[in-house]
Amino acid sequence: MPLLWLIVIVLALAAIGYVAARGRAMKSAGGDSRHLHSLPSYYGSNAAIKVVVPAFLLLIVWLLAQPLYVNAVVSGMIPDTEVAEGSNLSLVMAEVRRAADGIDNAIAAGLMRPDAVADLGASDVTQTLKDAGQIVTSELTPAVLDAARKFRVLNNSGTLYMTVAVIVLALAGLGIALRETNKDFRARNVVETSIRYLLIAAASIAILTTVGIVFSLIGNTIRFFSLYPAGDFFGSLTWSPSFGGGSELGIWPLLWGTLYISFVALLVAVPIGLFAAVYLSEYAGPKMRAFAKPALEVLAGIPTIVYGLFALLTVGPLLLSVFGSDGLGWMQGTRAVITAGIAMGIMLIPFVSSLSDDIINAVPQAMRDGSYGLGATKSETIKQVILPAALPGIVGAILLATSRAIGETMIVVLGAGAAAKLSLNPFEAMTTVTTRIVSQLTGDADFASPEALVAFALGMTLFILTLGLNVFALYIVRKYREQYE
Amino acid sequence: MTDASMDTADAPRGKISLTAADARTKHRNAAEKRFQMYGLAAIGTGIFFLVVLLWAILANGLTAFQQTFIEVPVYLDEAKLDKNGNRDIEDIKKVSTFGYQPLIQQAILAQVQDEGFDTPLEDAKDMKALISASAAAQLRDYVIANPDRIGQTIDFRILASSRVDGYFKGRVKRDDLARDKNIDAEHLDLVDQMRRAGLIQKSFNTEFIFGADASESRPEQAGLGVSMLGSFFMMLVVLALSLPIGVAASIYLEEFAPQNRWTDLIEVNISNLAAVPSIVFGILGLAVFIQFMHLPQSAPLVGGLVLTLMTLPTIIISTRASLKSVPPSIRDAALGVGASKMQAVFHHVLPLAMPGILTGTIIGLAQALGETAPLLLIGMVGYIATNYPDGIAEGFMSPNSAMPAQIYEWAKRADPAYYERAWGGIIILLVFLLTMNIIAIILRRRFERRW
C-alpha cells in the first residue's frame, strides 16, 4: 500500500522536523529557553505543521483530481462505435477500470509479467484475467484494452509523480521551517494562526457536507429529468418502474404512502407522547420521573432496524391474527400501512414526549399559580393555560417528529411492503419514498438509466420536504422559547 | 356589595358544606381524575411497548445462541478420499464436498442401525435431511488439515440441518410437515430417538458469534462475526475522523468565531444536518465517494466516511454544550497568568470539557453503529462477505457488511430459520449499544463537575 507508506514518510519527516527545529532553536538561544521568543515546543510544532499541512493538502487535492483527469483522457480514447446500443460511455469506462484492476491483480499474483502487458492481444489478456479469477464481463475489445493500458500507465505515472511531489513539498516545508528557526522567530504566533485556520477548516466541513448533498442530488436529478420528463414525474399517478424500459415513474403514490404511514405513526405517537409529557412534568413525583423518563427515552436509542424487524415479525403477524382472514378479514399480508405506522409510532413517542416535556417545563410557574388562584383544578389549568401557552413549541415538536417519520427508512422497508398504491385502506401494503430509494439504488441497474436516477429525484424531494419541515419547526420552537426568556 | 351577591345565590341555605361536593364539583373532580389517568395510561403504554419490544427480542433471539449438533464417528474411507493412497495433498484436494457427503450419511445410518432405532428410513440418502450441508465442508477441511487420518474413524460433531434445529427449538412443528419438502415425520421420530440416546444435542453456538454469513440454504451455519469486524473497522474510521474534526469545529465555533454571517451559516447548517434523513447521507456517499471518487463499493472505509458525516453534527452539538459549561473564570485565570487565547483553550478549557466531549462522542458512535439505511445504498450488505479479511488494509478496503446491515439481510430472507438469526443479531447489537451507553453514563457520573 504505497499511499500508507507515503503518509508514514510525511509523518516521519514531521517528527524529524519537530526534533530538529526544537534543537536548532535551543542552540540559537545558547541552551537557555528564556532567550527564546516562544516556548521551545512551538518551534518544533511550527516545523511539523509546515511539513504535514501543505503535503497532505497536495495529497488530497491530487487524489481527487487524478481520477478526473485520467477519466477525461481515457474516455477520449474510446471511439463512439465502441459504445454499444443501449449502453453508454460510463459503462464502457467501468469495463476499462475493471480490466485495468484485473491486470494489476494478475501482475500482483505473478500470473502476468509487467512488460508483457503491452504485447498481449485482447483475447490473450481476457483469457489470462479469467484464469486469474478476475471479473471480466465479456471479451475485451482492442479499444477497451488500449484504454485499460493507457489507464494503467496514466495512473501509475500519476501515483509516482504524486509521491515525488508530496515528498518534495514536505522536504521544502522542512527546509523553510528550519531556516526561519532562530531565537527571535515568533513561532507561537505562527503556530497559533495555522491552528486557527485548521479549526476554521474543520468547521467548514459542515458546509461542505451540505454542498455535497445538494450537488450530488441536483446533478443526478438534472440527469434524470433529461431522460424522463418532469411533467410525467409530477403528473402521473402510476409508479411502475421496469428496467426493460417503458416505466411510469409518478411520484404521487410514493408521497401518498409516505404521508399516510407518517400520519398513522403520529396518530400513535402524539397522544401517547403528549399525555406522557403532561403527566411527567405536572403530576409525576421525582421518583416516577427518574424512572419513566429514561425508560421512554430508551425507545429513541434503539436502532431503527430493530423496529423494522419488530414490525415485520411481531406487529404484522399480531395484526394479521386480528384483522386477517382468521379474524375480521380486512388484511391480506403482514406488511401494511398500519404495521409500519404502529412500529414507527412507538419509535416516535420519546421524540414527542421529551421535547414537549421540556417545553411544558418552560411555561412559567406564575401562569400556573394564577390559574390555581382563580380556582381551576390542575387538569383545567393544564388544558386551558399551559397547553395553549406551550402550543407553538408542541407543534414544533410534532413537526420534528413528522420529518423524522417521513425520512425513516428501515421500518418502512421491512414493514410497509412494496406496492405503490393510492388507497385509503390502512390494512393494505403501500410503499414510501425512502423504500423506493433503497430498492432503485440497490438493484443491478446501471446509474445511467432513469429507473436508477429517479432515486436521486426522490431523494431531492425527501431532502426538500424534511428540510422545510425542520426549518419551520426550529423557527417555531425558537420563536416560542424567546417569549419566556 | 357582598350582601347583594349573597342574595343572588339561590342554593339552599344551611345545607352547604365544604366537605360534601356538589354535582358540578364532583364532575370537575372526576374530570381531574380522568385526565390524570390518561397521563398514567400514556406512560404505561409507552413502557408496555418497551417491554413488549424487549420481550420479543429476547424470546425470539436467545435461541440463536444455541445450536443443535450431531455427534457421529465417521470412517474416512481411503478408497474414496485418496484413491492413489499416496497422501498427496493435491490429490486429496481434488475430492469435492460431494465426495464427503455420502460418508457422513453412511456414518449416521450405521449409528442408527447400531443403536437399533425403530425407523423405516434405511437408505443412507434419507439421512441427508438431518445434517447441515456445511458438514461435508467441515469434514473436508479436517481431512486436508490432517491427511494422515485417512483410513481411521474419527468422532465428529457436525451441525444438524436447520429443520432438525427448528424442531428442537419448537420452530418446526409436526402439524406443518405436510407443507415441508425437506423433512418428514419419520425423520422427526428418528430425531426423537436419537435425542433420547444423546446423539443429538443442543449446545452453545460460538459459530453464531464468530462465524461468517452463509448461503440462503444453510441458515444453521450463518454467523455475525465477519460483519462485526466490518462494523468495528467502520467505527474506527468514524472515531478517527469525527472526534478530531468535531472537536476542532466546536472549539472554533464556541471560542474563536466572530459573530458574522459566515459563522451563522455554519451554525444553521449544523443544526439542519442533524435532522437530515439518514438515507440522504447514503445518497451522498453513493454519489461522492463511489460514483465520483471511485472508492471501492461495500468497503468499511466508505461506510465509515458516510457515518462520519452523519455523526459530526451530533458530536459538534454535544461538544459545544460541554465547552459552554466550562466557566469563564477558567479562561480568565489562564489569560491572567499570561497564556494566549489558544493556550487557554487547549491547555485549560479542553481538558476540563473532555469528559463531556467523550460522552457525546460515545453516544454519537452508538448511533452510527445502529444505522442501516445509508449502508444499504453503498452496498454494505451481507452476502458479499464470506470470510475474514486478512490484514488491516484489507479490513478497510475489502467488501464487508456491518452488523445492522447483516441483520437486515437476514430479515429479508424467506426462511424462518433466518428470522431467529436476525433477532439473535439484534441481541448482540443491543449488547454493544448498551455497553457504550453505560460507559458514557459512567464517564459522565465520574467526571461530572458542578462549578
Side-chain angles (χ1 to χ4, degrees):
Chain A
M1 192 162 177
L3 190 61
L4 191 71
W5 278 113
L6 187 57
I7 292 171
V8 169
I9 289 173
V10 172
L11 290 179
L13 279 177
I16 293 171
Y18 183 91
V19 175
R22 195 180 182 283
R24 207 179 146 87
M26 287 299 276
K27 215 173 116 194
S28 74
D32 186 351
S33 64
R34 283 175 300 176
H35 297 303
L36 289 172
H37 168 270
S38 315
L39 291 172
S41 63
Y42 279 107
Y43 292 93
S45 306
N46 175 47
I49 288 174
K50 288 222 162 92
V51 171
V52 168
V53 174
F56 278 179
L57 267 182
L58 179 72
L59 186 66
I60 291 169
V61 171
W62 197 301
L63 283 178
L64 288 176
Q66 184 178 319
L68 290 180
Y69 170 73
V70 171
N71 244 12
V73 171
V74 172
S75 56
M77 288 175 61
I78 294 176
D80 289 343
T81 51
E82 200 60 37
V83 182
E85 199 66 37
S87 172
N88 61 21
L89 195 60
S90 69
L91 279 185
V92 181
M93 281 307 296
E95 183 70 34
V96 169
R97 256 192 301 280
R98 262 200 301 278
D101 284 349
I103 293 172
D104 280 340
N105 290 342
I107 290 172
L111 290 165
M112 205 189 259
R113 279 179 300 115
D115 48 338
V117 178
D119 310 329
L120 286 174
S123 55
D124 294 336
V125 173
T126 313
Q127 199 48 48
T128 320
L129 292 187
K130 278 186 179 152
D131 292 345
Q134 297 298 324
I135 308 157
V136 186
T137 45
S138 58
E139 194 80 3
L140 292 175
T141 57
V144 169
L145 183 64
D146 281 342
R149 282 192 193 122
K150 182 81 180 164
F151 186 83
R152 282 193 64 233
V153 169
L154 282 178
N155 258 341
N156 287 346
S157 54
T159 313
L160 183 69
Y161 292 146
M162 178 182 76
T163 313
V164 172
V166 166
I167 290 179
V168 165
L169 195 63
L171 284 173
L174 181 65
I176 292 172
L178 284 182
R179 248 192 61 193
E180 68 192 5
T181 299
N182 63 59
K183 69 181 172 52
D184 295 323
F185 177 58
R186 302 182 170 205
R188 199 192 71 200
N189 307 32
V190 175
V191 168
E192 289 191 346
T193 318
S194 24
I195 288 182
R196 206 183 158 106
Y197 281 114
L198 284 180
L199 296 183
I200 294 177
S204 310
I205 285 188
I207 299 266
L208 273 183
T209 309
T210 313
V211 169
I213 288 177
V214 170
F215 268 83
S216 60
L217 286 175
I218 286 184
N220 284 305
T221 305
I222 290 174
R223 273 171 69 198
F224 168 67
F225 283 129
S226 69
L227 292 171
Y228 189 87
D232 286 0
F233 181 67
F234 290 110
S236 166
L237 293 182
T238 329
W239 171 270
S240 63
S242 73
F243 286 108
S247 21
E248 282 204 68
L249 305 169
I251 194 179
W252 294 110
L254 312 184
L255 266 187
W256 170 247
T258 307
L259 296 178
Y260 197 11
I261 290 175
S262 306
F263 176 72
V264 174
L266 290 177
L267 226 51
V268 174
V270 170
I272 295 179
L274 212 52
F275 272 116
V278 166
Y279 191 87
L280 281 178
S281 55
E282 297 292 319
Y283 289 104
K287 263 191 191 155
M288 167 100 179
R289 219 179 132 78
F291 162 73
K293 204 174 177 200
L296 285 183
E297 275 167 2
V298 168
L299 286 174
I302 293 177
T304 52
I305 176 81
V306 180
Y307 287 103
L309 205 62
F310 184 64
L312 178 69
L313 299 179
T314 308
V315 180
L318 201 73
L319 290 172
L320 195 65
S321 68
V322 179
F323 300 105
S325 47
D326 299 340
L328 294 165
W330 294 346
M331 209 169 160
Q332 255 79 52
T334 54
R335 293 173 176 214
V337 167
I338 188 161
T339 312
I342 288 178
M344 204 195 277
I346 297 175
M347 184 194 82
L348 292 180
I349 290 173
F351 283 93
V352 179
S353 74
S354 284
L355 267 173
S356 309
D357 185 41
D358 291 347
I359 287 154
I360 291 173
N361 274 333
V363 174
Q365 185 62 30
M367 289 174 78
R368 290 185 186 85
D369 294 343
S371 173
Y372 296 149
L374 289 171
T377 64
K378 212 161 187 178
S379 64
E380 285 161 354
T381 308
I382 293 167
K383 278 185 277 192
Q384 286 160 15
V385 177
I386 298 179
L387 286 186
L391 196 63
I394 290 172
V395 170
I398 294 173
L399 284 180
L400 281 180
T402 313
S403 107
R404 186 96 193 176
I406 289 175
E408 176 47 51
T409 313
M410 295 323 292
I411 298 177
V412 288
V413 165
L414 285 171
K421 267 183 243 164
L422 282 164
S423 155
L424 272 175
N425 184 356
F427 297 101
E428 264 186 84
M430 277 184 212
T431 193
T432 65
V433 174
T434 48
T435 320
R436 287 299 101 189
I437 294 177
V438 170
S439 61
Q440 298 310 109
L441 285 180
T442 49
D444 292 328
D446 66 89
F447 285 133
S449 70
E451 285 77 16
L453 284 173
V454 70
F456 292 97
L458 294 177
M460 189 87 199
T461 317
L462 187 71
F463 183 68
I464 292 174
L465 205 62
T466 52
L467 194 69
L469 273 175
N470 289 330
V471 171
F472 187 49
L474 285 177
Y475 167 75
I476 287 182
V477 171
R478 207 171 275 178
K479 186 172 176 192
Y480 164 71
R481 282 224 176 115
E482 278 167 6
Q483 288 181 356
Y484 292 116
E485 265 168 11
Chain B
M1 279 293 278
T2 46
D3 285 343
S5 67
M6 291 290 267
D7 287 340
T8 54
D10 54 358
R13 293 245 164 154
K15 283 198 175 176
I16 282 191
S17 156
L18 282 177
T19 49
D22 60 3
R24 189 161 163 265
T25 314
K26 267 187 196 148
H27 181 77
R28 288 176 66 198
N29 284 345
E32 171 72 32
K33 271 264 151 54
R34 268 204 310 277
F35 191 76
Q36 206 168 341
M37 290 320 289
Y38 293 152
L40 263 182
I43 291 179
T45 321
I47 291 173
F48 169 75
F49 282 142
L50 179 64
V51 171
V52 169
L53 187 63
L54 294 180
W55 178 80
I57 293 168
L58 289 179
N60 293 309
L62 278 179
T63 51
F65 291 90
Q66 291 229 309
Q67 198 66 36
T68 315
F69 290 94
I70 304 179
E71 301 212 9
V72 59
V74 181
Y75 172 60
L76 300 175
D77 194 352
E78 181 165 7
K80 283 197 175 144
L81 303 183
D82 189 19
K83 290 195 181 90
N84 305 332
N86 52 12
R87 298 290 183 271
D88 182 4
I89 199 80
E90 291 304 320
D91 277 354
I92 296 173
K93 275 185 183 162
K94 275 184 191 147
V95 182
S96 70
T97 49
F98 289 107
Y100 288 86
Q101 204 124 16
L103 295 181
I104 307 170
Q105 290 165 12
Q106 264 153 17
I108 292 188
L109 184 66
Q111 204 180 22
V112 166
Q113 284 164 347
D114 280 354
E115 297 271 343
F117 292 141
D118 172 33
T119 172
L121 304 170
E122 282 167 353
D123 194 28
K125 287 213 170 91
D126 289 332
M127 300 298 149
K128 194 180 168 197
L130 300 183
I131 51 179
S132 161
S134 71
Q138 183 194 345
L139 226 62
R140 183 170 183 267
D141 290 344
Y142 177 84
V143 169
I144 288 171
N146 309 288
D148 51 317
R149 298 291 169 86
I150 293 178
Q152 299 175 9
T153 303
I154 310 284
D155 281 334
F156 279 99
R157 193 161 158 277
I158 56 176
L159 275 170
S161 72
S162 72
R163 302 304 153 105
V164 172
D165 183 50
Y167 179 59
F168 263 65
K169 292 169 180 168
R171 187 177 65 237
V172 174
K173 298 192 180 68
R174 280 173 186 268
D175 309 341
D176 307 333
L177 285 180
R179 277 179 281 145
D180 199 332
K181 279 184 298 194
N182 291 329
I183 200 159
D184 305 318
E186 288 89 42
H187 285 120
L188 295 188
D189 292 337
L190 180 60
V191 167
D192 281 336
Q193 297 181 45
M194 289 170 84
R195 164 153 51 180
R196 258 174 260 132
L199 299 175
I200 298 189
Q201 281 163 352
K202 264 204 301 191
S203 61
F204 188 72
N205 186 9
T206 44
E207 190 64 12
F208 176 60
I209 299 177
F210 298 109
D213 190 16
S215 84
E216 198 125 347
S217 59
R218 281 177 282 143
E220 66 276 0
Q221 202 198 357
L224 202 63
V226 173
S227 52
M228 252 193 248
L229 208 64
S231 273
F232 171 72
F233 279 107
M234 254 170 35
M235 288 304 117
L236 278 187
V237 175
V238 176
L239 184 68
L241 291 177
S242 66
L243 185 62
I245 296 177
V247 171
S250 320
I251 287 180
Y252 177 71
L253 291 176
E254 199 57 45
E255 305 282 345
F256 295 104
Q259 278 296 319
N260 60 22
R261 275 196 148 160
W262 177 243
T263 49
D264 220 40
L265 188 68
I266 293 180
E267 289 202 19
V268 172
N269 231 301
I270 287 170
S271 55
N272 271 332
L273 277 180
V276 168
S278 59
I279 192 152
V280 172
F281 284 95
I283 297 181
L284 170 76
L286 180 70
V288 172
F289 297 129
I290 293 177
Q291 270 188 327
F292 179 69
M293 288 165 72
H294 296 297
L295 287 173
Q297 216 167 8
S298 325
L301 176 69
V302 181
L305 286 174
V306 172
L307 293 183
T308 302
L309 295 182
M310 234 188 79
T311 33
L312 259 182
T314 323
I315 292 183
I316 292 179
I317 289 169
S318 69
T319 303
R320 289 189 66 182
S322 61
L323 283 176
K324 209 177 277 178
S325 73
V326 176
S329 59
I330 303 278
R331 296 177 183 83
D332 297 342
L335 295 177
V337 294
S340 69
K341 177 101 198 193
M342 198 65 80
Q343 284 170 327
V345 170
F346 276 90
H347 297 175
H348 299 270
V349 178
L350 194 58
L352 290 174
M354 218 50 209
I357 295 175
L358 285 181
T359 331
T361 308
I362 293 172
I363 288 171
L365 277 184
Q367 239 176 43
L369 185 64
E371 197 54 63
T372 322
L375 302 184
L376 299 184
L377 293 194
I378 56 164
M380 288 199 69
V381 273
Y383 49 80
I384 306 166
T386 45
N387 281 307
Y388 281 99
D390 36 327
I392 304 270
E394 277 268 286
F396 287 113
M397 301 299 277
S398 69
N400 205 331
S401 183
M403 274 195 276
Q406 180 73 70
I407 293 167
Y408 167 70
E409 196 58 35
W410 284 340
K412 256 190 3 185
R413 291 181 193 170
D415 193 335
Y418 267 115
Y419 293 158
E420 175 198 69
R421 303 270 139 173
W423 287 113
I426 279 179
I427 293 183
I428 297 184
L429 180 64
L430 288 183
V431 166
F432 274 104
L433 295 185
L434 199 69
T435 323
M436 291 167 91
N437 279 304
I438 287 175
I439 292 175
I441 290 172
I442 290 175
L443 263 181
R444 192 181 303 167
R445 286 269 158 84
R446 203 169 145 69
F447 295 102
E448 197 171 51
R449 215 188 278 232
R450 293 197 184 274
W451 306 96

